[in-house]
Amino acid sequence: MTLQEIVNDSARIVFFGGAGVSTESGIPDFRSADGLYSQKYKYPPEQIVSHTFYERNTEEFFAFYRDRMIFPNAKPNTAHIKLAELERSGKLSAVITQNIDGLHQAAGSRNVIELHGSVHRNYCEKCGKFHGLDAVTGSTGIPRCECGGRIKPDVVLYEESLNGDDINRAVNEISAADTLIIGGTSLVVYPAAGFVNYFTGKHLVVINKSETNADRNAELVINDSIGKVFSEIHTE
């Protein structure tokens, strides 16, 4: 079956996406040849975005975070927009993303589960007050709340656990789906990548430029640009 035929045959699609969904919006991924992990910094990026580094070298963490992890001018691309259309048409029930850029919501998607948090949410570690992105981008050094507390991005760093409610929602959505489309993710980041194992529905589709661990079980594998692939889907 083609992707269009699978979409036509589906009533409850869940999309599980990663960094490859946002690269076409100008946001670099972590593992490709020109991704974040290939850049040269004083410390390895994997170390910088860890909880330990955040606690011990907070100012250097924020220097990297502002420079390489926040892209406030990025716009939704064809994939984001088409997923929102599929949700409005009643075909798609949820988007589960490992991205922290908020582009799915910007495109109009409503039921978005952000497994790794969002740059648009930040909170004071002292009083708990939530702050928008401006609290980080509009400050220098370590961002501070009015109470004097340190403002932390609501993103999941290495060594930190995923939110329990998000885990339950993701597992429930995948378990109830008749079609699971995996897109723009190499499926190497756990525990998130393990969630796809809860899928027992009818159609499993993988759209990714490189091989993934889910390919062998997929009904359809497309190694191409996710924006290009989604641009050819028509909603009824």
Side-chain angles (χ1 to χ4, degrees):
M1 295 178 78
T2 66
L3 181 57
Q4 184 67 60
E5 289 171 332
I6 289 174
V7 169
N8 293 346
D9 187 51
S10 304
R12 193 177 179 90
I13 300 170
V14 168
F15 179 80
F16 182 92
V21 179
S22 293
T23 52
E24 290 167 49
S25 292
I27 298 177
D29 67 8
F30 268 41
R31 290 177 173 77
S32 67
D34 56 351
L36 284 183
Y37 283 0
S38 303
Q39 306 293 326
K40 302 300 181 187
Y41 291 92
K42 185 178 177 181
Y43 300 91
E46 301 100 315
Q47 183 180 345
I48 298 174
V49 293
S50 69
H51 180 81
T52 298
F53 191 91
Y54 170 78
E55 291 292 346
R56 294 178 180 173
N57 305 275
T58 311
E59 195 157 343
E60 286 187 69
F61 167 87
F62 275 106
F64 177 87
Y65 183 77
R66 290 187 183 96
D67 184 41
R68 300 300 303 170
M69 297 189 73
I70 300 176
F71 297 86
N73 298 320
K75 304 295 182 188
N77 61 52
T78 305
H80 297 109
I81 294 167
K82 189 62 69 170
L83 285 165
E85 287 179 10
L86 286 169
E87 184 184 45
R88 287 194 295 272
S89 73
K91 285 282 187 182
L92 185 137
S93 62
V95 168
I96 303 169
T97 181
Q98 300 174 81
N99 298 334
I100 59 175
D101 50 51
L103 290 179
H104 285 293
Q105 291 92 330
S109 289
R110 293 182 177 275
N111 189 22
V112 181
I113 302 170
E114 296 172 305
L115 294 176
H116 296 154
S118 171
V119 298
H120 296 281
R121 296 190 303 270
N122 304 274
Y123 65 93
C124 174
E125 293 176 304
K126 184 177 179 182
C127 73
K129 178 182 177 180
F130 267 82
H131 297 264
L133 185 57
D134 289 347
V136 176
T137 58
S139 62
T140 57
I142 301 171
R144 296 284 177 182
C145 178
E146 295 90 336
C147 74
R150 185 172 63 181
I151 295 174
K152 183 180 186 296
D154 190 16
V155 299
V156 180
L157 304 176
Y158 285 114
E159 304 167 348
E160 294 180 346
S161 301
L162 302 187
N163 178 278
D165 289 340
D166 290 336
I167 292 174
N168 291 333
R169 287 176 62 204
V171 168
N172 289 338
E173 289 287 359
I174 291 172
S175 299
D178 59 7
T179 295
L180 177 62
I181 300 176
I182 299 169
T185 174
S186 52
L187 293 178
V188 297
V189 177
Y190 283 83
F195 292 170
V196 301
N197 296 325
Y198 289 93
F199 177 67
T200 58
K202 195 173 181 181
H203 305 292
L204 177 61
V205 178
V206 177
I207 307 167
N208 199 53
K209 288 184 176 179
S210 58
E211 186 178 348
T212 78
N213 295 330
D215 289 8
R216 64 184 179 276
N217 298 319
E219 175 181 351
L220 178 64
V221 177
I222 304 174
N223 297 126
D224 205 345
S225 155
I226 193 163
K228 177 185 173 185
V229 173
F230 271 93
S231 70
E232 297 169 356
I233 296 177
H234 302 288
T235 55
E236 297 177 334

